[in-house]
Amino acid sequence: MARSIGMAADATVYRAVIEFTNRDGTKDTKHEGPYGSIAAARARVSFWANYLADRDEETGERTGTSRASGYVERGSVEWERA
């Protein structure tokens, strides 16, 4: 997915850190970003939590838990000629 990251050299960037619990109980961590705003990174955490929400097997209703959670990290980018 292409992103516009043409920003100032000292700009703050954000990334979403998503922690997944697989169906077999093992855990994985993935990173998405960089994003130019904290809201964009938080939206990715919310997306995965909602997408992998646990559902009641009989009714299909959400149980209030999810196999994904996460947080946002803040950083800065150091650009150099490649």
Side-chain angles (χ1 to χ4, degrees):
M1 169 190 309
R3 291 184 185 84
S4 174
I5 56 173
M7 54 186 68
D10 60 348
T12 300
V13 293
Y14 303 89
R15 72 177 180 176
V17 180
I18 316 298
E19 298 169 330
F20 297 95
T21 302
N22 299 311
R23 294 197 187 276
D24 65 1
T26 60
K27 297 190 182 276
D28 287 316
T29 301
K30 305 286 185 200
H31 300 88
E32 294 187 1
Y35 298 100
S37 72
I38 194 169
R42 283 182 179 154
R44 295 306 296 165
V45 173
S46 294
F47 167 80
W48 284 108
N50 290 329
Y51 185 73
L52 294 176
D54 293 322
R55 297 187 178 270
D56 183 277
E57 291 182 17
E58 293 179 12
T59 65
E61 297 293 320
R62 291 183 182 191
T63 63
T65 61
S66 178
R67 291 189 301 114
S69 63
Y71 54 92
V72 174
E73 292 181 334
R74 175 179 44 226
S76 58
V77 176
E78 182 178 318
W79 296 102
E80 63 182 54
R81 191 175 208 161

